[in-house]
Amino acid sequence: ILSAYGINIADVTVEGENPLGHTIDKERLEQSNTIFDTIKQENSSKLLAQGFNDKELVHETYLNLRYEGSDTSIMIKTPENGDYEAEFHSIHK
């Protein structure tokens, strides 16, 4: 059950996704960053149209990574240092 107050203070989330389906390498990471930028712009436009301002917006980006041949992926938030592989191995332990 949601109250009017709770609905009023809840965070608003807009998601976008784009499947790549490739082995991660430098070229693919650059491609994913371009895709991230496009999705951020699209999502920002949606929120700005609803009356939010740029200063209120926070973007988080993730890649779903898995070992080749595996069906199970792990959602990895973009690491500050950009090293998805190290972050994947750290979480996968």
Side-chain angles (χ1 to χ4, degrees), residues 3-92:
S3 69
Y5 175 74
I7 291 172
N8 188 43
I9 64 169
D11 289 336
V12 175
T13 302
V14 177
E15 296 183 12
E17 62 181 67
N18 188 319
L20 287 175
H22 297 286
T23 302
I24 291 295
D25 57 24
K26 184 178 179 180
E27 180 182 332
R28 297 297 182 203
L29 284 176
E30 289 173 7
Q31 180 184 11
S32 67
N33 287 329
T34 300
I35 292 169
F36 286 155
D37 290 342
T38 301
I39 291 172
K40 287 178 192 178
Q41 289 174 342
E42 291 171 354
N43 289 346
S44 291
S45 294
K46 291 175 186 175
L47 291 169
L48 294 172
Q50 294 179 37
F52 293 94
N53 69 54
D54 264 341
K55 293 178 183 176
E56 296 176 297
L57 305 184
V58 176
H59 298 278
E60 294 181 353
T61 54
Y62 298 81
L63 288 178
N64 287 318
L65 302 177
R66 63 182 174 84
Y67 284 111
E68 189 171 354
S70 172
D71 291 337
T72 306
S73 64
I74 300 173
M75 185 180 284
I76 306 296
K77 184 176 180 179
T78 301
E80 288 184 26
N81 65 2
D83 190 348
Y84 283 96
E85 184 175 359
E87 188 71 14
F88 176 79
H89 290 300
S90 171
I91 292 172
H92 188 267

